[in-house]
Amino acid sequence: MTLLRLNTLALSRSRFALSPLAETLGSMMVLGKPCTDPWLASWHALHHGAFRAVLEADPFAEGLVRLLGSTKWLPSHIVIPPTGGMRTTLESELVPVARASDEEVRAELEESVAHSWKQHDLGWLTGRGWAARTTDLLKYTWEAHVAPDWPRRRALLERDVTYRAGLLAAYGWPRALQHMSRRSAWVGADAIRFNDRAFPDRVVGDEGMLFVPISVLSSGTWLCEAPPASYALVYPARGSADDAARIRPARSLERLIGTGRAAILHELEHPATSSELAAHLGLSLGTVGDHLTILRDADFVVGTRVGRRVVYRRTETGHLIASRKGD
């Protein structure tokens, strides 16, 4: 088991961030294979052919994507902690990727081969300038296959952050990290288990951890690391698969409290702000505010201030009402 150890200061400064680079890297892994997640089927069908054509025309790209999709060691020159918080841009993340030397790239890829569950060789690693070629592939994947879908994905990622920030404010980090992945868990008072493999423990610096959701993977995590002690844990966002199979509230609940309020109460299975509810349900902000006031007065929902935002969640009564079966 591998642990991330945090002192009190590091824990207090840990926060969430977004990473277009991580989203792009996950998208490359998914597009490089046949689709196995039904909720990604339409996006995969739209982009898989063009992506495969690019790989087939470039042995370097083909070999890299195949390796990334079948290893427990992602190269450290590609998995780098984002530095822009919730406003991180791909351009800023690609700067350190492009700076890696050929020697560093080869050493990391050899580690990836050693930790792969498939047979690989690095015969495709020819010529020079491998970091620049990797950067070009990431930039292409973002522009052609991720950026057109980014507004929807970003909304989903922000929703996950809102959900976990609400848990953090109400219950602390152990609850906020609960179910982040199958292998990640809080251990004792000062450590996070992030996988079951026997790698050395890491000590997080005083600036704290970053937690980075991505939408394109339904399982698995990876660790981003930058010297001397900067770390980010990439994890699957909640609701990625759920959106494809969204169930409307029971008609009996709609008859009881009204269609709009029933939709909001149903949606608050995952805590959200009023702006997120309005965007997700296609309602005006004023309408959502009116519904939330009534639901709050009925003790069905409660709001918790997180920074400048108010995050709404169901109360126990609201959860019981929303969970009732009906026709």
Side-chain angles (χ1 to χ4, degrees):
M1 151 171 99
T2 309
L3 299 180
L4 290 160
R5 298 195 174 275
L6 302 86
N7 62 29
T8 302
L9 182 59
L11 184 60
S12 69
R13 291 179 173 175
S14 294
R15 58 207 183 276
F16 294 93
L18 298 185
S19 172
L21 175 58
E23 190 75 21
T24 302
L25 184 57
S27 298
M28 283 171 49
M29 295 177 190
V30 171
L31 286 175
K33 307 174 184 178
C35 185
T36 57
D37 291 311
W39 53 277
L40 282 173
S42 59
W43 172 78
H44 189 276
L46 181 64
H47 294 279
H48 178 67
F51 187 74
R52 285 300 315 168
V54 168
L55 299 189
E56 290 167 5
D58 183 353
F60 175 87
E62 172 78 40
L64 179 61
V65 171
R66 181 173 178 270
L67 178 56
L68 294 177
S70 59
T71 184
K72 297 178 181 179
W73 181 285
L74 293 177
S76 62
H77 68 285
I78 299 176
V79 289
I80 300 169
T83 57
M86 296 295 290
R87 294 185 175 87
T88 302
T89 64
L90 181 71
E91 290 75 14
S92 66
E93 293 188 282
L94 289 180
V95 171
V97 176
R99 281 201 301 253
S101 68
D102 285 344
E103 291 72 21
E104 291 169 329
V105 172
R106 176 177 283 281
E108 286 297 318
L109 293 179
E110 287 174 348
E111 285 283 359
S112 296
V113 169
H115 290 88
S116 176
W117 55 86
K118 292 185 177 180
Q119 291 294 321
H120 292 274
D121 65 60
L122 295 178
W124 46 270
L125 202 57
T126 59
R128 305 294 292 173
W130 300 321
R133 294 164 73 180
T134 302
T135 301
D136 289 344
L137 178 60
L138 288 163
K139 189 181 299 184
Y140 156 75
T141 305
W142 166 262
E143 292 174 352
H145 307 300
V146 181
D149 196 38
W150 182 238
R152 182 194 67 83
R153 295 192 191 192
R154 184 184 182 96
L156 188 151
L157 299 176
E158 290 175 342
R159 181 76 182 274
D160 178 89
V161 170
T162 296
Y163 165 74
R164 295 190 184 278
L167 292 178
L168 173 62
Y171 306 109
W173 275 112
R175 183 74 177 274
L177 303 186
Q178 192 174 23
H179 305 308
M180 191 170 276
S181 78
R182 288 175 297 179
R183 296 181 177 85
S184 298
W186 199 265
V187 178
D190 66 348
I192 300 168
R193 183 189 72 217
F194 74 93
N195 66 41
D196 296 328
R197 299 190 294 275
F199 291 132
D201 292 350
R202 272 75 159 184
V203 178
V204 178
D206 287 346
E207 291 305 308
M209 280 283 301
L210 293 175
F211 297 96
V212 180
I214 60 171
S215 71
V216 77
L217 298 180
S218 58
S219 63
T221 62
W222 67 76
L223 188 69
C224 304
E225 181 175 356
S230 177
Y231 296 94
L233 185 65
V234 176
Y235 66 92
R238 289 171 58 95
S240 299
D242 297 340
D243 282 351
R246 186 171 297 278
I247 301 172
R248 66 171 291 164
R251 290 194 183 95
S252 58
L253 179 61
E254 293 179 340
R255 290 195 297 267
L256 178 66
I257 64 174
T259 301
R261 289 186 283 279
I264 288 173
L265 193 60
H266 183 72
E267 193 68 22
L268 285 177
E269 179 181 359
H270 307 310
T273 65
S274 57
S275 297
E276 289 167 338
L277 289 168
H280 210 65
L281 295 172
L283 300 173
S284 72
L285 192 57
T287 297
V288 169
D290 291 342
H291 288 325
L292 285 170
T293 297
I294 295 171
L295 291 170
R296 190 173 55 229
D297 290 345
D299 194 34
F300 290 170
V301 305
V302 65
T304 302
R305 182 164 292 281
V306 180
R308 296 182 178 180
R309 302 180 299 170
V310 177
V311 179
Y312 293 91
R313 57 182 174 84
R314 293 176 187 167
T315 62
E316 187 63 32
T317 302
H319 179 71
L320 290 173
I321 290 294
S323 301
R324 290 180 61 186
K325 302 297 182 183
D327 57 8

